[in-house]
Amino acid sequence: MKKTIATFLLALLPGLATAAGGGAHLEEVSVNIHDEAALQRGAKLFSNFCLSCHSVEFQRWRRTAEDLGLSQDQVEKNLIPGDDTVNDMMDNVMPAEQAANWFGTTPPDLSVVARSRSEDWLYSYLKGFYLDDSRPFGVNNTVFSNVGMPHALWELEGLKKPVYKTVTGEDGEEHKVRDGFEYVTEGSMTHSEYDRAARDIVTFLSYVGEPARLERPTLGVWVIGFLAVLLVFAYFMKREFWKDIH
Ligand code: HEC
């Protein structure tokens, strides 16, 4: 019986991985949403390279400014496109209808994407664009096959093409399989700088998915303080109650 259950669970595992990552290998990333410098860099990259198409609907600029330790002026000058102010939501610049015409699909709102897709998936996605002539924008993606988004960060990362190797399958036939990538155009960043840029964007998206997480440690301190005070009271009350019984 145990064996049957184990087999069943094992059979389920690849299915779960496929559901999350489209079957492709995900690169692991570790992000720290309390790293203010990373959040600021991520917000800037997001505003420069993503906000033209994607909104972060649940977030007001004022909140971003406060949480990231930036002044209203800094945010309005450096992050907010057009005439919007800190009182506006982080809306995308492009009207949805026009975007749908251009891309065949509306660029989705990214408020909760770090939770719906996972941080590792997002990181792999931003690093996963590769040249593919058969696609409308000339690129495909390792974790999102036939993606309808251009490689928004290609100037930073550069462009890479897949390299293939030939393997002999179980059927005795030879197959071409992808075996890594090779850069054909270098970007303005080194590869490790690009990794950091991708991680910073994931950090920012992870934070906007749940801004309240930034507050929790402070809240925790208050809760523990409250419990400590309560404990002292409880102790004296207990002494008071049992005083006459002994
Ligand atoms: C030129 C418009 C455009 C820009 C700029 C752009 N995207 Fe996209 N993005 C799209 C479109 C269109 C899709 C939908 C793709 C599809 O469904 O095939 C998409 C999809 C995505 C998805 C997948 C969402 C999901 O769960 O399906 C993520 C994540 C994403 N974009 C992140 C980004 C980030 C981060 C940036 C900035 C570095 C960015 N995008 C810049 C147009 C854009």
Side-chain angles (χ1 to χ4, degrees), residues 1-245:
M1 186 60 191
K2 259 192 204 149
K3 214 170 147 192
T4 325
I5 294 175
T7 322
F8 176 72
L9 287 177
L10 278 177
L12 219 65
L13 273 177
L16 289 175
T18 314
H25 170 73
L26 291 187
E27 269 196 67
E28 280 179 29
V29 65
S30 116
V31 306
N32 172 13
I33 60 160
H34 300 287
D35 180 347
E36 210 169 73
L39 280 176
Q40 291 178 357
R41 288 192 304 263
K44 181 139 192 98
L45 287 163
F46 188 83
S47 151
N48 284 346
F49 293 99
C50 319
L51 199 64
S52 49
C53 295
H54 293 281
S55 57
V56 187
E57 257 175 21
F58 301 135
Q59 180 93 345
R60 209 176 281 282
W61 283 105
R62 180 181 296 286
R63 166 112 213 203
T64 307
E66 282 165 8
D67 286 349
L68 270 57
L70 296 167
S71 74
Q72 179 168 336
D73 204 41
Q74 280 172 317
V75 171
E76 284 181 353
K77 276 210 190 94
N78 299 315
L79 297 184
I80 309 183
D83 297 331
D84 280 7
T85 71
V86 285
N87 296 317
D88 289 303
M89 305 306 276
M90 296 185 64
D91 279 335
N92 53 337
V93 180
M94 192 186 299
E97 210 175 289
Q98 205 169 53
N101 277 342
W102 283 346
F103 304 110
T105 161
T106 314
D109 180 80
L110 297 182
S111 301
V112 293
V113 74
R115 274 189 287 162
S116 65
R117 289 289 201 175
S118 92
E119 290 166 352
D120 288 349
W121 187 90
L122 270 183
Y123 182 67
S124 309
Y125 177 69
L126 292 176
K127 290 186 59 181
F129 285 91
Y130 64 91
L131 290 169
D132 179 349
D133 289 342
S134 70
R135 301 296 308 152
F137 296 108
V139 284
N140 212 325
N141 192 284
T142 49
V143 294
F144 192 146
S145 52
N146 298 338
V147 67
M149 167 173 144
H151 185 6
L153 298 171
W154 77 270
E155 285 167 82
L156 309 184
E157 190 200 2
L159 291 166
K160 54 187 182 285
K161 68 166 199 222
V163 280
Y164 294 96
K165 67 175 179 192
T166 313
V167 292
T168 313
E170 279 169 21
D171 50 5
E173 298 275 325
E174 291 199 332
H175 300 277
K176 251 172 68 171
V177 293
R178 203 168 66 215
D179 182 33
F181 295 96
E182 169 183 293
Y183 279 86
V184 290
T185 314
E186 288 297 329
S188 62
M189 289 183 164
T190 64
H191 299 169
S192 63
E193 280 169 351
Y194 183 72
D195 288 356
R196 189 183 80 164
R199 197 178 63 221
D200 290 343
I201 294 176
V202 176
T203 309
F204 177 69
L205 285 174
S206 184
Y207 145 75
V208 291
E210 216 181 335
R213 269 198 299 171
L214 285 187
E215 281 160 23
R216 273 184 209 156
T218 355
L219 192 66
V221 171
W222 282 107
V223 171
I224 289 173
F226 174 75
L227 288 176
V229 172
L230 200 70
L231 184 72
V232 173
F233 274 109
Y235 172 72
F236 283 114
M237 251 163 76
K238 174 191 165 268
R239 277 234 310 224
E240 197 59 29
F241 284 149
W242 287 88
K243 198 167 61 190
D244 305 326
I245 297 173

